[in-house]
């Protein structure tokens, strides 16, 4: 006998999840612990991969193993596949190793045909039910396997509903359902030129084939790209005997979380629909009832359900996301998996589980994805803002979003790429809308519940979402929606609050988030465990205060160029740049000195007691001058229109200077300490401003820790010269004022050459701060602006590069250089302080890398400080580093 | 007793040249082998360095050691320093370890004052001679030590000459010279507010101090920058008893080379001036007589001189550059050193010395500086050009130069930096003109001989130079020169031929050089010894043929973009770039295919039997489109002038596309294989053109070896994809034509990331070719265009960087990456072929590095192939590598 491709549920377990997929392993596990699971079997991911390896053909032996398991299933259930007396019906569902909800295909009620439907009637004595199953089956099979457009089926149903003057499917009677079945079969014949397949075995094999194939449908591919799931995993296929939630009013189907996935509250949370099959809930077509209603409607079922929830949480040691069906008062479980949750819920659940004694603090720290925390660190509505609520829906994913109304996903993507903020508004969303949700600030739907597609996807992405807001009436053709008399057109601004479900007209002011008590507690555990320090990048006292509030232990990067960009100062900065002589330049610098000194006093005072790394001027000087192109157009116009000769002369002179300073490759041009070397007076002024600020603060009783940072060093000679300039300037001020202060002088390490010669550079440095943005650009030889706008998306979509190296530190390339520099630097100076201040400092995989190579700290934007704290703790847990 | 700072000549030798400097060691060595050298002593370079270390003060004990040696010298000579009866006079000269001719200061006749001049008269019975010495001494001391401007002394002499109606100094009588002395003393008093120092010992100490100080005068600093001489070496000072070339008509002074330094011919070559002191020859004020004239004038002296020349050549095993003085018929040697020579001479001398059995082939190879060969590989006058000679001077440094006439060094430098070709025309040049000579194509002087300043400097730099062209009369005020009636103004073009001494009006056509028989022979020795292969970078069959003629063993880089730039093709290339659809693009590519195929046939055929590395398209596509700025001005004008709406629309459309393709940092943009990845159809077309060319040539009986090179790889996935595309394309053509050919697929290694992941990349590569231009740009994080135009000159002038890293491979940074890539690449593929095709491939230090890290070949421009062959041989000799 060949490879085992098929496992009955009772043969499997969580341990072979890689073979069975998440759903299959969950069903096996539940079967093993004695929960009521309809019997069935799982076809392995290996079979799927073989299927692709052989050019989309079933591997040898698979069909036989399926037939074998099918007949065992028949024996177990006491029904027969294709029987006209007592037919076995099955569901066929995908189930990947890493859950991809809604991305791949599912078929229910398989096994029905014109004959077995009669068997189903005999079996159930319910003709309406049997035809409801049959029309559902033709529709799903027609759509998924035969690739007939969904809306064509919907048109048929709508026609019948109109004729019968009913609103819901459940109101259609037997004759209507029989009519629909006949129309569906005609539709199939018309669309594919063949009759709907009547042979149940053929149906089964085609369905399995289709599920395999759905691994590579467009939306699954996109989902994997976004969620960084490898393409080679493949999906398993679950074939399970049907139980029927649509078998009347003591039947139903639902989904539930063992705790609230939005808030984390320890309350079972979910929805169910009476007399419905699974797809009705997920698709969000009918708005379902909250799970608590079940307590009234079917108290025994509810009690059993609660017991099972508890059992599953204890078994899996985590919140479970459960699919269930009630068939004539009997509860069946169709799926369980660890529940996706919002960041707030993840934090609360992790902390609660520790307190309930179910997991350890270390485990709790690993339970929260650092990137997910971003959600909690997003903005919410300003409580002081006057809010006029236009409509209210379900609070499906928390946070406030403001943007232009957009009604289709393609446009949302287009505008999003142009940098516009949009809110995607749809009656309901479908998996094909995913690229629009990615691009939008938030999502608003008119139909669907808390577990509808829009809600699940938005929560996963941390986007605000309001669902099931039935008050809004969308008119796609006119590109508007109405709420009563109010008309909202495409392009109008709205604000949605995913925490309350409110929808408002216009742009409501939003405010920064605050951290919950659980969040604070989790972060305090992180601080106990992590080894890596966490600082923030901040240029203003306000940012510094915010960073401190979020737990930053210092400023890792204070950029001085933003201070130069201040509109009040820009004319002086330009005067400095355009100076023809050293005297003129020094005159302008003298005016800037007191301003810079005040800047530094503010930020140093705000960070009292903590280190503040101030980087001297970095960008090329032409960035402070008017745009060359605009100036060129202006001069051309003035000349043609015989403008004022003096104005022409002045503008031409300015243009000449702008041109003289312009660069072919500004990123690789005259910037960083190359400015300080050629124009030492600029850096002198900045150092003077820093040291004078420090001296004044010291006199005022402050304890400040300045660290002066020289950017873009490529050779130790540069740092030698710049260090001397700094020390000389400082010593002079100390002598003049009689006040002495401690300060450090260090450098950015942001070119490959700096890494390669870090031993030589370290001789003149008290610290290194890795500028991984520039280091990535130079190591890859591509500029971020050009790459991200041109070829990088292609590289990522085609997996030529695994990640955007500007988001996730490239360990293989850039990481080698960082490691080299760390080793060389510490080799000559064991106590060299090492940090990182590129954007990677707030990204969890990069933080882990920084931990591994032994940096002292990471520095990131203030709002990512909590993320970095958690990521640093996770790194410490993972590498079992001793507690500090 | 402290450190020994002073060595008498008889105490020294060549072995302690680092202490004694070149001149001091040479004098010691000549003294040791018994040649007639006036006795003296040398103050060490160590003393000079101590002098600077102590803030320009004599180190402890130096003065005592000088006094001690001075009194020994008095005993040896039998004269007394400061005596009014029989005074000892000395010369005080600088002498660095590495010769810096004319850069530092010399003082002759030291020891004279109002009293000792009378002693000199008693000693010599020659009053005119004594006053001639005294006025020379005051002038030199006044200029060098007291820093009084040279021209002020010249004005005094000129006044006397006019009064006495004489042309030459030698025609001035005693009374005139006495008058000059008095005027000089007045001049000194007026300029420095003190009398000319009369105390001989004070004179001596001041003079030594001045020579030490001259190590850091402006021209010495510039000379060291240009010649890459370290600043910390310091100069020695030689104090030598005077002998007098100005003691009448049986006296004289001269300089000579033991062989012709211009051609290498084995004939003593030099000049002397009767009744003159050394400075008269070097300064080029009087035009001296050829050395052969000495045979007639003083046959015995000449015979002795010839014997000494021979002895010195045997002793030093190289051509000597000798300074001598004849005092009343007796020959004295004042200096000997290895003679500077033109490249042609260096080659001939090295080959001849081997044939004469004096040196080995290996030594001969080390005797020629590879960079110097550049001279021989420069252009000469087209022999077919009709040449009208305007004037004729001395052929001081070979080669033809064409440029605008410029009369001052500052302007020459300015225009040179703007990229203009200029010829510097001066009556005579002085060390302060050096920056102008650097910037000029060539130098023309009206006065001075073959060993004048202009001639020596120009030969050293390999610049064409015509000297002593007395027919040209320069009027600096009017900015013109005249030759008879012909007036040549600043900005007019002239052509000079430094091989014949001819000066022509206008731009005479020039042609490529050919290699002399000796050159060919030397290179054949180089080929025997070197391990490193040498290829050329060539884009056309013509360049390929030239490369082959110069000994290239293949093409290391054939760029395909120049083929795209052909004006006939550019419209098709633009059509391809601006295509809105794949079909449109493929249509344009189909038109380019046959053209590219012919290109490749041409170059492959020209290199039959040798490998040709063809690089697929590299530059960003916008380089082939019209200039954005010009287009913008055009559109603005058209709009304002209400131009043709259709034209406006078309231009605006074009502008929109140009803008869409424009990049912030083109060097780091969408180029290299990033084009091939996103537009595979472009690379497909190129590969098709190559393989079709190969197949056609094979059918015609050619043996061709194509190597297809993928540029700018940063990740092995890129090369994987591009290799597949190449192989698939080739296989298809082989199948269609039934002809199979060998070819390699490899990649440029030109980003740090490619070096860091070379092991992964090597899996898909048959060869690596290091693109050290881009690798230098990315490793340093500066773009060549921006750096060289902005801050790099500052960095080099201030020695922040030791060399221009675009000229000399930066071993410390870039070199580490190359080494890493070599090790990683060979680690996974031992037979990986490794080369370099950046401009460094033709620079000797970089070639040595390539040899050391074990590359297979270097590739450089065709004209640098011989340089690379020699440099590779030198590297092999130096590292004692086994012969191949």
């Amino acid at each position: 006998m060949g490879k085992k491709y098929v496992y009955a549920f009772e043969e499997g377990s969580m341990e072979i999840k890689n073979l069975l997929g998440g759903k299959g392993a969950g069903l096996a596990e539940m079967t093993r612990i004695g929960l009521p699971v309809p019997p069935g079997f799982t076809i392995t991911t290996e079979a799927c991969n073989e299927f692709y390896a052989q050019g989309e053909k079933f591997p040898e032996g698979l069909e036989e193993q399926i037939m074998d398991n099918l007949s065992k299933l028949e024996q177990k259930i006491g029904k027969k596949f294709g029987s006209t007396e007592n037919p076995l019906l099955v569901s066929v569902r995908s189930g990947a190793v890493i859950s991809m909800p809604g991305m791949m295909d599912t078929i229910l009620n398989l096994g029905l045909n014109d004959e077995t439907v009669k068997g189903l009637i005999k079996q159930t004595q319910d003709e309406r039910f049997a035809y409801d199953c049959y029309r559902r089956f033709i529709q799903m099979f027609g759509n998924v396997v035969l690739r007939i457009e969904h809306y064509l089926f919907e048109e048929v149903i709508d026609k019948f509903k109109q004729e019968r003057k009913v609103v819901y499917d459940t109101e259609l009677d037997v004759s209507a359902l029989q009519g629909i079945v006949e129309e569906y079969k005609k539709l199939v014949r018309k669309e594919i030129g063949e009759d709907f397949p009547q042979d149940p075995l053929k149906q089964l094999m085609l369905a399995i084939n289709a599920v395999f194939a759905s691994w590579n449908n467009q939306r699954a591919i996109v989902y994997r790209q976004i969620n960084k799931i490898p393409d080679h995993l493949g999906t398993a296929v679950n074939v399970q005997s049907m139980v029927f939630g649509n078998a009347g009013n003591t039947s139903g189907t639902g989904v539930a979380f063992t705790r609230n996935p939005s808030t984390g509250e320890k309350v079972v949370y979910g929805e169910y629909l009476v007399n419905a099959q699974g797809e009705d809930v997920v698709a969000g077509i009918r708005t379902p009832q909250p799970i608590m209603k079940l307590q009234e409607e079917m108290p025994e079922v509810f009690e059993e359900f609660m017991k099972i929830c508890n059992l599953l949480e204890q078994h899996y040691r985590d919140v479970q996301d459960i699919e269930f069906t009630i068939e004539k008062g009997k509860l069946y479980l169709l799926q369980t998996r660890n529940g996706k949750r919002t960041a707030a819920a993840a934090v609360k659940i992790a902390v609660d589980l520790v307190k309930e004694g179910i997991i350890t603090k270390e485990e709790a720290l690993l339970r929260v994805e650092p990137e997910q925390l971003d959600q909690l660190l997003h903005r919410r509505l300003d409580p002081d803002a006057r809010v006029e609520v236009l409509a209210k829906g379900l609070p499906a994913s928390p946070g406030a979003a403001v943007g232009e109304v957009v009604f289709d996903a393609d446009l949302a993507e287009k505008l999003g790429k142009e940098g516009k903020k949009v809110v995607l508004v749809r009656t309901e969303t479908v998996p094909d809308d995913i690229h629009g949700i990615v691009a939008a600030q938030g999502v608003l739907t008119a139909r669907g519940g808390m577990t509808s597609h829009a809600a699940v996807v938005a929560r996963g992405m941390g986007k605000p979402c309001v669902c099931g807001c039935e008050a809004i009436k969308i008119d796609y053709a006119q590109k508007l929606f109405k709420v009563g008399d109010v008309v909202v057109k495409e392009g109008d601004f709205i604000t949605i609050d995913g925490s309350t479900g409110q929808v408002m007209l216009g742009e409501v002011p939003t405010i920064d988030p605050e951290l919950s008590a659980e969040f604070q507690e989790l972060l305090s555990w992180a601080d106990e465990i992590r080894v890596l320090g966490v600082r923030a990048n901040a240029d203003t006292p306000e940012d510094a205060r915010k960073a401190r509030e979020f737990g930053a232990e210092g400023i890792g990067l204070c950029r001085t160029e933003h201070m130069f960009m201040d509109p009040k100062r820009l004319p002086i900065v330009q005067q400095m740049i355009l100076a023809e002589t050293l005297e003129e330049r020094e005159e302008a610098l003298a005016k800037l000195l007191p301003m810079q000194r005040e800047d530094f006093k503010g930020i140093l005072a705000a960070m009292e007691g903590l280190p503040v790394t101030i980087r001297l001027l970095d960008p090329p000087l032409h960035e402070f001058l008017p745009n060359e192109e605009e100036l060129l157009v202006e001069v051309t116009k003035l000349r043609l229109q015989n403008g004022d000769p003096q104005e022409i002369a002045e503008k031409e002179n300015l243009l000449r200077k702008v041109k003289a300073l312009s660069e072919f490759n500004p990123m690789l041009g005259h910037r960083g300490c190359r400015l300080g070397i050629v124009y030492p007076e600029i850096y002198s002024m900045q150092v003077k401003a820093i040291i004078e600020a420090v001296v004044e603060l010291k006199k005022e009783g402050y304890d400040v820790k300045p660290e002066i940072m020289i950017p873009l060093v490529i050779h130790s000679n540069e740092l030698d010269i710049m260090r001397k300039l700094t020390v000389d300037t400082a010593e002079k001020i100390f002598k003049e004022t009689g006040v002495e202060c401690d300060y450090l002088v260090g450098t950015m390490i942001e070119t490959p050459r700096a890494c390669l010669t870090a031993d030589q550079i370290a001789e003149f440095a008290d610290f290194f701060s890795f500028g991984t943005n520039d280091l990535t650009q130079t190591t890859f030889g591509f500029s971020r602006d050009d790459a991200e706008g041109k070829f990088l998306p292609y590289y990522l979509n085609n997996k030529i590069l695994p990640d955007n190296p500007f988001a996730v530190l490239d360990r293989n390339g850039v990481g080698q250089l960082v490691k080299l520099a760390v080793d060389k630097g510490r080799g000559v100076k064991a106590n060299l302080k090492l940090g990182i201040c590129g954007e990677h400092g707030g990204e969890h995989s990069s933080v882990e890398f920084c931990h591994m190579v032994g940096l002292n700290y990471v520095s990131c934007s203030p709002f990512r400080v909590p993320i970095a704290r958690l990521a640093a703790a996770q790194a410490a847990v993972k590498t079992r580093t001793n507690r500090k």
Side-chain angles (χ1 to χ4, degrees), chain A:
Chain A
M1 194 149 146
K3 195 169 268 175
K4 182 169 173 72
Y5 288 123
V6 182
Y7 288 78
F9 291 164
E10 54 275 26
E11 294 177 314
S13 80
M14 219 54 198
E15 270 148 43
I16 52 170
K17 185 175 165 189
N18 282 342
L19 277 179
L20 303 183
K23 188 188 293 255
L27 289 166
E29 195 80 7
M30 287 194 291
T31 303
R32 283 209 310 128
I33 60 175
L35 296 181
V37 174
F41 54 86
T42 304
I43 302 165
T44 64
T45 54
E46 211 168 33
C48 176
N49 289 326
E50 282 293 312
F51 169 83
Y52 279 109
Q54 295 177 18
E56 311 212 355
K57 290 208 182 69
F58 277 12
E60 172 116 17
L62 175 59
E63 199 163 329
E64 291 72 9
Q65 292 186 37
I66 292 169
M67 297 301 291
D68 183 43
N69 273 274
L70 189 62
S71 73
K72 285 184 190 150
L73 186 59
E74 287 171 336
Q75 288 166 19
K76 216 171 290 164
I77 307 274
K79 296 181 183 174
K80 204 153 168 57
F81 199 57
S83 160
T84 53
E85 296 295 324
N86 188 19
L88 168 64
L89 301 188
V90 296
S91 64
V92 177
R93 299 175 200 233
S94 64
V97 175
I98 299 164
S99 169
M100 296 165 54
M103 291 304 125
M104 288 181 300
D105 294 327
T106 289
I107 297 145
L108 302 181
N109 309 321
L110 188 139
L112 282 176
N113 60 22
D114 293 350
E115 300 306 317
T116 56
V117 72
K118 291 172 192 154
L120 188 59
I121 294 168
K122 282 186 197 153
Q123 216 181 52
T124 61
Q125 303 299 324
D126 188 341
E127 203 173 355
R128 191 201 168 279
F129 161 74
Y131 278 99
D132 187 44
C133 288
Y134 195 21
R135 68 96 190 165
R136 285 172 187 270
F137 172 54
I138 299 175
Q139 180 166 353
M140 288 182 105
F141 192 93
N143 179 235
V144 170
V145 181
L146 306 177
R147 310 219 162 278
I148 297 166
E149 296 266 16
H150 186 71
Y151 79 93
L152 294 171
F153 294 102
E154 287 297 325
E155 279 178 358
V156 173
I157 295 198
D158 286 347
K159 199 185 71 183
F160 276 85
K161 280 188 192 163
Q162 275 173 344
E163 280 173 14
R164 307 293 166 115
K165 298 195 166 60
V166 301
V167 176
Y168 294 114
D169 307 351
T170 44
E171 297 169 295
L172 292 167
D173 65 9
V174 178
S175 70
L177 292 169
Q178 283 173 327
I180 288 170
V181 165
E182 287 313 309
E183 290 289 322
Y184 274 8
K185 289 198 286 186
K186 272 188 221 157
L187 174 62
V188 168
R189 203 174 307 127
K190 183 170 160 239
E191 289 293 318
I192 67 162
E194 278 180 39
D195 282 338
F196 183 80
Q198 292 283 326
D199 175 2
L201 275 175
K202 189 176 171 197
Q203 289 172 357
L204 180 61
M205 298 306 169
L206 284 173
I208 292 168
N209 203 314
V211 172
F212 281 160
S214 72
W215 174 254
N216 275 338
N217 70 31
Q218 199 50 42
R219 60 179 198 266
I221 290 172
V222 170
Y223 187 92
R224 289 200 296 274
Q225 271 169 10
I226 293 169
N227 292 281
K228 293 178 192 161
I229 299 172
D231 284 329
H232 66 268
L233 294 179
T235 183
V237 183
N238 298 290
V239 178
Q240 186 172 26
S241 53
M242 283 297 300
V243 287
F244 298 98
N246 56 340
N249 286 333
T250 59
S251 300
T253 187
V255 293
F257 287 80
T258 54
R259 302 187 186 211
N260 185 321
S262 186
T263 64
E265 220 185 335
K266 195 181 174 182
V267 173
V268 170
Y269 176 93
E271 300 157 322
Y272 69 102
L273 271 175
V274 166
N275 198 13
Q277 281 199 338
E279 77 270 25
D280 299 334
V281 184
V282 176
I285 292 167
R286 272 197 278 156
T287 301
Q289 297 192 304
I291 192 82
M292 285 304 165
K293 197 87 192 268
L294 193 62
Q295 193 165 16
E296 295 165 28
E297 291 194 343
M298 306 185 204
E300 281 161 35
V301 171
F302 183 75
E303 196 183 333
E304 190 189 358
F305 180 75
M306 291 303 289
K307 238 187 275 174
I308 289 172
C309 282
N310 206 31
L311 187 70
L312 284 172
E313 264 202 0
Q314 295 285 337
H315 184 74
Y316 286 108
R317 306 173 69 234
D318 202 356
V319 172
Q320 294 300 297
D321 167 1
I322 298 165
E323 283 184 23
F324 62 93
T325 286
I326 304 159
E327 185 182 290
K328 300 191 172 170
K330 172 151 177 48
L331 178 67
Y332 292 97
L333 291 183
L334 299 183
Q335 171 162 312
T336 191
R337 58 184 175 197
N338 290 339
K340 295 212 175 219
R341 62 206 79 173
T342 63
V347 169
K348 179 161 172 47
I349 290 166
V351 171
D352 285 352
L353 290 176
V354 171
K355 294 190 172 160
E356 292 164 26
I358 298 175
I359 61 174
T360 64
K361 283 183 187 177
E362 282 83 354
E363 282 175 299
L365 286 166
L366 295 177
R367 284 288 169 86
V368 180
E369 275 185 36
E371 291 304 321
Q372 210 188 5
L373 291 186
D374 202 27
Q375 290 178 33
L376 299 185
L377 304 165
H378 272 159
R379 305 179 73 74
R380 60 192 178 92
L381 291 187
D382 182 348
D384 296 337
R386 240 190 72 225
V387 169
E388 270 185 48
V389 177
L390 180 68
K392 196 153 187 281
L394 300 172
S397 181
V402 180
E404 293 176 35
V405 168
V406 165
F407 292 105
D408 87 81
D410 290 343
L411 182 61
E413 185 181 37
K414 183 173 167 290
L415 295 177
K417 279 192 180 158
E418 291 172 8
K420 291 203 175 141
K421 293 182 189 296
V422 301
V423 173
L424 181 64
V425 180
R426 302 279 302 166
T427 304
E428 51 187 312
T429 65
V430 292
D432 286 337
D433 291 330
I434 197 156
H435 59 295
I437 302 177
V438 167
Q441 301 298 304
V443 182
L444 169 62
T445 67
R447 287 200 288 187
M450 292 294 284
T451 50
S452 65
H453 177 263
V456 170
V457 169
R459 277 202 296 276
M461 293 182 189
K463 304 245 178 207
C465 176
V466 173
C467 268
C469 184
E470 304 203 1
I472 69 168
K473 306 295 173 197
I474 301 176
D475 183 337
Y476 287 126
Q478 303 271 337
K479 301 201 171 181
L480 53 83
F481 73 76
K482 288 187 188 168
V483 181
D485 293 339
V486 181
V487 177
V488 180
K489 293 197 203 112
E490 192 156 80
D492 290 351
F493 272 89
I494 61 168
T495 301
I496 60 170
D497 182 352
S499 312
T500 61
Q502 292 174 335
V503 180
M504 278 103 0
L505 273 182
E507 300 175 72
V508 178
T510 54
I511 56 158
D512 291 344
E514 284 161 18
L515 306 188
S516 71
E518 282 92 356
F519 199 175
Q520 301 277 18
E521 187 156 16
L522 188 78
L523 288 177
S524 76
W525 299 344
D527 292 345
E528 283 169 25
I529 286 168
R530 71 187 160 89
V531 177
L532 208 53
V534 176
R535 298 193 189 181
N537 300 347
D539 306 343
T540 63
E542 297 71 50
D543 282 357
R545 275 187 284 274
K546 180 50 82 183
R548 204 163 183 162
E549 198 180 295
F550 280 157
E553 298 159 318
I555 300 297
L557 176 61
C558 169
R559 285 166 287 245
T560 54
E561 48 267 28
H562 297 169
M563 304 170 184
F564 276 50
M565 281 293 186
D566 182 307
K568 272 176 276 169
R569 302 179 187 180
L570 200 54
I572 309 174
V573 172
Q574 293 181 346
Q575 184 192 333
M576 184 270 284
I577 294 169
L578 299 174
E580 302 274 6
T581 64
L582 180 61
E583 289 69 38
E584 275 184 64
R585 186 169 316 110
E586 285 184 334
E587 196 182 303
L589 286 167
K591 289 186 212 159
L592 289 172
L593 174 66
M595 301 174 182
Q596 285 256 288
R597 187 169 53 225
E598 287 312 303
D599 295 331
F600 295 136
K601 277 189 77 171
I603 202 159
L604 285 164
M607 294 304 285
E608 208 211 339
L610 297 176
V612 176
T613 308
I614 299 168
R615 179 175 74 184
L616 302 188
L617 196 67
D618 183 57
L621 296 180
H622 51 77
E623 283 197 8
F624 302 101
L625 295 183
N627 178 278
E628 181 178 343
E629 206 168 278
E630 285 165 19
L631 212 53
L632 185 65
V633 170
E634 217 175 319
V635 167
T636 307
K637 280 188 184 165
L638 276 171
R639 273 199 213 126
L640 279 177
Q641 294 166 336
N642 297 318
D644 175 20
Q646 195 184 333
E647 191 185 353
I648 294 180
E650 273 169 22
K651 295 268 182 200
E652 280 183 343
N653 192 32
L654 184 59
L655 179 61
R656 194 175 49 75
K657 286 175 180 169
V658 169
K659 277 191 179 177
L661 280 173
S662 86
E663 297 183 302
F664 298 101
N665 296 286
M667 203 252 125
L668 304 177
H670 194 179
R671 49 176 287 246
C673 75
R674 296 162 198 169
L675 291 173
I677 293 275
V678 177
Y679 306 112
E681 57 277 13
I682 299 179
Y683 274 24
S684 263
M685 181 279 284
Q686 293 200 295
V687 171
K688 211 170 162 196
I690 295 168
I691 300 292
E692 286 180 354
V694 170
V695 165
E696 287 182 18
L697 287 170
K698 191 167 181 185
K699 282 186 190 162
E700 294 168 26
Y702 282 90
D703 166 30
V704 296
K705 301 186 189 311
E707 304 183 340
I708 297 173
M709 182 154 75
I710 310 298
L712 210 67
V713 160
I714 50 167
H715 194 289
S716 55
N717 285 346
E718 293 173 320
L719 191 58
D720 183 11
I721 294 168
M722 291 293 106
R723 187 185 183 94
K724 280 201 190 102
L725 174 145
T726 304
V727 171
D728 290 350
T729 305
E731 290 300 324
K732 203 167 153 232
I733 296 169
F734 295 156
K735 201 173 271 177
E736 282 165 11
T737 60
V739 180
E740 291 237 351
C741 311
D742 288 333
Y743 64 96
L744 302 181
V745 183
T747 180
M748 298 275 283
I749 297 287
E750 50 187 335
T751 60
R753 199 177 191 285
C755 295
L756 294 162
T757 61
D759 44 350
Q760 291 153 30
I761 291 172
E763 284 187 38
F764 304 99
D766 301 320
F767 64 88
F768 282 174
S769 179
F770 289 96
T772 47
N773 298 348
D774 276 5
L775 187 59
T776 299
Q777 299 195 85
T778 45
T779 304
F780 278 79
F782 56 50
S783 111
R784 180 166 196 173
D785 291 334
D786 296 310
E788 289 188 342
K790 298 221 155 67
F791 53 87
L792 192 55
Y794 185 97
Y795 269 57
L796 296 173
N797 289 341
N798 292 279
K799 299 194 180 171
I800 296 169
L801 290 177
D803 291 299
N804 179 341
F806 297 112
V808 180
L809 191 140
D810 162 49
R811 296 188 189 193
N812 201 4
V814 176
Q816 271 191 65
L817 284 175
V818 172
K819 179 92 176 49
L820 197 76
V822 167
D823 293 346
K824 289 194 174 214
R826 288 250 172 84
V828 301
K829 199 176 268 184
N831 64 346
L832 190 69
K833 201 192 266 193
L834 299 173
I836 179 179
C837 63
E839 280 179 44
H840 302 95
E843 190 278 329
H844 76 281
S845 153
S846 312
V847 171
E848 182 180 84
F849 173 80
C850 293
H851 171 88
M852 284 160 47
V853 297
L855 299 197
N856 297 92
Y857 68 86
V858 296
S859 186
C860 55
S861 75
F863 289 95
R864 295 189 75 86
V865 164
I867 297 174
R869 287 161 72 192
L870 178 60
Q874 291 188 346
V877 171
K878 285 184 195 163
T879 57
R880 300 164 191 281
T881 311
N882 292 331
R883 298 192 176 206
K884 64 172 176 181

